[in-house]
Amino acid sequence: MRRVMKTFWPVWVPLVATAVLLRAGPASAPGDGSEFAVAFSHALERKLQAHLEGPEVVEKAFRDEMVSRLPSAEIADLRWENLQSNAMPLLVRCTIRVPGYAEQVGQRLIVKPGVFAAGAPPRFTASRRLHPIAFPHTWSEQDDVEIVIPEGYELEQATAPADVRAREELQTAAYSLSYVPARHTLIYARTYAFGRNGATIFEPESYEAIRFLFERVRVSDDHSIVLRPKEALAGAAASVKGAG
């Protein structure tokens, strides 16, 4: 599992994250946590915060951000790299265990493969905007996640999320989903970019269009896949054959 984030302004600053596999299991048996590294968003602001208020404030902000999306997350072994460096990207290493991440509904498991973005609240909630909208910089994200399908389960629904593309490259989000039978592994990729055309400030009249774009991305980030026991698949096939 890996996320790479870059800013387009003022310079390209790669924020690299690497991780091991995410194992999807029934809610009653969540499995072990996986150690992975996360590129912390708004890194420059967090470094300034660490300088002014101390590392413990930054750590609390990280935990709050993760738990806001993954309420059952258990975060341990939290370690920071380059928190005091202005030249190097901020990196967070930790072990995160999320009991019940694969939601169990009857015999089926429902999994959101977009681990880095799933569960985020709407970015814009107001019905209208009175003042201009200003983003501090443009950015891109690359997420790569491998999900090991639990023993005894098969894919029931595994469509990729819908891509999002705005005119003039203002905002794009592309998704892919593939399955490797030999490894019993689902491979998910998400490529996101905002502001490749350099636009970061918008008049209030553009608010509705921007809110609509961000909401489309949020819906795709929350996309789910369904796993069901092999016995259920075999039973469904036998029913169809018998009906024929």
Side-chain angles (χ1 to χ4, degrees), residues 14 18 26 35 37 49 53 73 76-77 115 121 123 136 141 152 199 201 206 229 231 239:
T18 58
E35 178 179 325
Q49 186 179 45
E53 303 178 60
D77 304 322
V115 182
R123 190 180 185 110
E141 301 166 357
I201 301 176
S206 301
E231 292 77 7
S239 298

Side-chain angles (χ1 to χ4, degrees), residues 69-124:
R69 294 192 304 104
L70 306 168
S72 63
E74 302 168 3
I75 304 171
D77 304 322
L78 191 58
R79 307 184 301 279
W80 300 90
E81 293 182 15
N82 307 319
L83 187 58
Q84 306 297 333
S85 170
N86 293 327
M88 300 296 292
L90 177 61
L91 197 63
V92 186
R93 295 189 183 276
C94 60
T95 299
I96 298 183
R97 183 173 178 269
V98 188
Y101 184 75
E103 181 184 0
Q104 191 161 14
V105 179
Q107 292 185 319
R108 289 169 169 79
L109 299 178
I110 300 177
V111 181
K112 294 181 178 181
V115 182
F116 290 109
R123 190 180 185 110
F124 299 104

Side-chain angles (χ1 to χ4, degrees):
M1 186 162 56
R2 179 174 69 101
R3 161 166 279 196
V4 177
M5 300 178 65
K6 296 180 179 179
T7 58
F8 301 150
W9 177 91
V11 291
W12 280 92
V13 181
L15 304 180
V16 182
T18 58
V20 297
L21 302 182
L22 168 72
R23 297 186 179 275
S28 58
D32 296 329
S34 298
E35 178 179 325
F36 64 96
V38 180
F40 200 66
S41 58
H42 311 298
L44 294 178
E45 292 93 330
R46 297 309 179 193
K47 289 183 178 186
L48 179 61
Q49 186 179 45
H51 176 72
L52 296 176
E53 303 178 60
E56 64 279 358
V57 177
V58 180
E59 178 174 328
K60 183 179 184 301
F62 173 79
R63 291 181 181 275
D64 290 347
E65 182 177 308
M66 295 297 295
V67 174
S68 69
R69 294 192 304 104
L70 306 168
S72 63
E74 302 168 3
I75 304 171
D77 304 322
L78 191 58
R79 307 184 301 279
W80 300 90
E81 293 182 15
N82 307 319
L83 187 58
Q84 306 297 333
S85 170
N86 293 327
M88 300 296 292
L90 177 61
L91 197 63
V92 186
R93 295 189 183 276
C94 60
T95 299
I96 298 183
R97 183 173 178 269
V98 188
Y101 184 75
E103 181 184 0
Q104 191 161 14
V105 179
Q107 292 185 319
R108 289 169 169 79
L109 299 178
I110 300 177
V111 181
K112 294 181 178 181
V115 182
F116 290 109
R123 190 180 185 110
F124 299 104
T125 57
S127 59
R128 65 193 185 101
R129 181 91 178 191
L130 299 178
H131 305 288
I133 308 154
F135 296 88
H137 53 73
T138 61
W139 73 95
S140 70
E141 301 166 357
Q142 176 64 49
D143 299 348
D144 298 291
V145 178
E146 294 188 5
I147 300 176
V148 178
I149 306 300
E151 193 66 31
Y153 281 83
E154 293 284 356
L155 299 172
E156 180 178 282
Q157 297 176 15
T159 57
D163 291 345
V164 178
R165 182 174 295 276
R167 290 183 302 175
E168 300 179 353
E169 298 294 314
L170 172 63
Q171 184 171 231
T172 59
Y175 305 84
S176 67
L177 200 65
S178 59
Y179 181 62
V180 182
R183 295 167 51 199
H184 220 230
T185 298
L186 194 69
I187 298 177
Y188 167 89
R190 170 186 181 266
T191 302
Y192 173 84
F194 177 83
R196 285 191 180 276
N197 60 355
T200 58
I201 301 176
F202 306 89
E203 294 300 324
E205 292 77 14
S206 301
Y207 173 70
E208 186 59 35
I210 291 175
R211 184 176 70 158
F212 175 72
L213 282 174
F214 273 93
E215 182 61 19
R216 285 183 61 195
V217 172
R218 191 181 72 85
V219 169
S220 289
D221 287 343
D222 265 352
H223 184 77
S224 298
I225 60 172
V226 179
L227 312 176
R228 65 178 176 182
K230 292 180 180 179
E231 292 77 7
L233 287 172
S239 298
V240 173
K241 184 177 180 180

